Amino acid sequence: MILPLYAKAAHPLVTEDAGLQGLNGQQMELNADQWRAETKTSRISSLTYTYGLSERTDIFATLPRNWLNPSGMGDVSLGQKSLLTENANVSWAWKSEIFFPTGSTQKGLTTSSHDLALTLIRTSRNTNTILHSNLALVLREFDTDLDKLDRRQTIWRASSAGLYALNQEWQVVADVAISQAEMRADKTLPVQFVLGMIYSPNSKLDLDWGIRQWRHQRAIDTYLGMGMAKRF
C-alpha cells in the first residue's frame, strides 16, 4: 500500500509549514497510521530525522514502513527546506524532496519511480492562529514504458491548513488538499481532509492525533493516526 503522493508534512497534516530547526537543531519524528479502505486494513509508520544545516536551511531523511501484510520498507526520501523570506507575521519557504524506489515491487510498497517533489510554502501567524499554504509539483521518472503510458509524469497539488491554539499546550488542526490523480485515465481530482489535535507539553515535544480521509475515484480511504516530534 502506498500513501497518496507525497502527503508528507508535520503529522497529522498534509500541508507543510515554513518552520526550520535553526543551526545545528535536530528533530526526530515518529508517526503511525492505521489505514482502512473498504475491507482492507493496513498499519503504516514513518521515521523522519531533520538537521538544521544553517539558520535558513534544514536537511532531512524519511524512512517509511508498512507493518501488516504485505509488510516491509517503503520508498526512502531525502530532502531540504530553505527559508526564502520572512517578516513578523509571514514566512515563505521552498522544499525539495527526492524519492527513491527502495520498496518492494512484488509487495506493492514502491511507486517504481524516481521522483522529485517541489513545494512552495507560505506560513502566516497571528495571536492564536497559524495558516499554512502549499503549491507542489511532483516530477516522476518511471522505469518502464507501460508506467510512462498509464501514469502521469507530473502531478500538482494545492493545500491549506489552519492551527488554532486553545491554550499554550493544545492546538486544533484542520487541513484540505486537492491534487491530480496518478493515473492518466483518471480525470477526477482526489481530495484529502484532515482533522486533529496537537499537544505540546513543552517547546521540545509535540504529540498529535488525527483522522484523514482521502476521497478518490476508487473509494474513500480513512487514516487514523498518532505521532511524536522531539526536538533537541
Side-chain angles (χ1 to χ4, degrees), residues 140 142 151-155 180-184 186:
R140 318 189 69 195
F142 296 108
R151 302 162 72 182
R152 289 189 173 94
Q153 292 179 274
T154 60
I155 296 176
Q180 284 180 298
E182 180 182 13
M183 305 305 292
R184 293 183 186 272
D186 187 351

Side-chain angles (χ1 to χ4, degrees), residues 9 13 17 19 46 53 62 83-84 92 95 101 109 112 115 132 140 145 189 200 208 210 222-223 225 227:
L13 299 176
D17 64 85
S46 66
L53 198 61
T62 297
L83 184 65
L84 298 176
W92 289 86
K95 178 181 177 181
L109 298 176
S112 300
D115 304 334
H132 305 306
R140 318 189 69 195
D145 291 335
L189 296 177
S200 305
D208 67 79
T222 301
Y223 301 79

Side-chain angles (χ1 to χ4, degrees), residues 202-218:
N202 56 61
S203 62
K204 298 294 186 180
L205 179 65
D206 296 331
L207 304 173
D208 67 79
W209 302 264
I211 181 171
R212 174 154 53 103
Q213 278 199 339
W214 180 34
R215 298 171 178 261
H216 53 99
Q217 185 184 49
R218 295 182 299 277

Side-chain angles (χ1 to χ4, degrees), residues 88-199:
N89 298 315
V90 178
S91 300
W92 289 86
W94 178 259
K95 178 181 177 181
S96 56
E97 189 170 6
I98 301 174
F99 295 80
F100 302 91
T102 53
S104 170
T105 302
Q106 290 76 17
K107 294 181 178 181
L109 298 176
T110 179
T111 63
S112 300
S113 62
H114 291 81
D115 304 334
L116 173 63
L118 305 172
T119 307
L120 179 64
I121 306 162
R122 182 184 187 273
T123 294
S124 62
R125 300 166 288 272
N126 62 30
T127 304
N128 295 318
T129 305
I130 301 175
L131 298 176
H132 305 306
S133 300
N134 289 179
L135 287 175
L137 183 68
V138 180
L139 308 176
R140 318 189 69 195
E141 182 60 40
F142 296 108
D143 296 331
T144 69
D145 291 335
L146 180 60
D147 279 334
K148 292 178 182 179
L149 288 174
D150 291 342
R151 302 162 72 182
R152 289 189 173 94
Q153 292 179 274
T154 60
I155 296 176
W156 60 262
R157 190 190 81 223
S159 64
S160 184
L163 297 81
Y164 180 77
L166 300 175
N167 52 44
Q168 291 185 340
E169 297 179 338
W170 288 94
Q171 295 181 87
V172 179
V173 301
D175 201 347
V176 61
I178 187 170
S179 66
Q180 284 180 298
E182 180 182 13
M183 305 305 292
R184 293 183 186 272
D186 187 351
K187 305 303 181 183
T188 63
L189 296 177
V191 179
Q192 298 180 66
F193 300 98
V194 177
L195 185 64
M197 299 283 294
I198 298 176
Y199 172 62

Side-chain angles (χ1 to χ4, degrees), residues 38-69:
E38 298 179 345
T39 60
K40 185 177 180 180
T41 299
S42 185
R43 292 192 181 99
I44 51 182
S45 66
S46 66
L47 177 66
T48 300
Y49 172 73
T50 303
Y51 176 75
L53 198 61
S54 71
E55 292 295 340
R56 301 181 69 89
T57 301
D58 285 354
I59 56 175
F60 61 89
T62 297
L63 304 174
R65 181 177 176 83
N66 195 3
W67 293 97
L68 293 183
N69 188 29

